Amino acid sequence: MTLGQRIGQYRRKLSISQEELGGRLGVSRQAVSKWETDAATPDMENLLALARIFGVSVAELTATPESSAPEAEKTEPNPPSPGRRGP
């Protein structure tokens, strides 16, 4: 499911129109329509506001897993070259 589809789904779940959602966010109905059809993507400020309005996390709204970032590869420092001394 795309971000736009999720925005539309949550909006319909609240039984509000695109115009009403746009009004709450300070954007036009057309902007909401573009988001829902994936013709445009809301900026971070609007993503945060959408998540608040829908009562979900931004991660849930964007379908981003909330797992921690993978650990950086653990590598051993390079051993000194033979015949070379430190500074």
Side-chain angles (χ1 to χ4, degrees):
M1 182 180 284
T2 69
L3 173 60
Q5 290 169 332
R6 282 188 296 282
I7 292 170
Q9 180 182 29
Y10 285 119
R11 177 184 59 77
R12 287 186 295 278
K13 198 173 187 182
L14 290 177
S15 300
I16 60 175
S17 66
Q18 290 178 339
E19 188 167 357
E20 184 176 346
L21 180 57
R24 292 184 187 189
L25 295 167
V27 300
S28 67
R29 176 201 60 77
Q30 291 85 349
V32 175
S33 176
K34 286 180 181 181
W35 297 341
E36 290 185 4
T37 59
D38 294 307
T41 305
D43 62 18
M44 186 53 111
E45 184 178 322
N46 284 320
L47 277 175
L48 291 168
L50 285 164
R52 262 192 314 275
I53 290 167
F54 298 149
V56 298
S57 68
V58 172
E60 187 176 344
L61 181 61
T62 59
T64 306
E66 290 189 29
S67 62
S68 61
E71 287 188 41
E73 287 185 35
K74 294 177 183 176
T75 59
E76 299 280 327
N78 291 334
S81 300
R84 184 168 175 190
R85 297 184 181 211

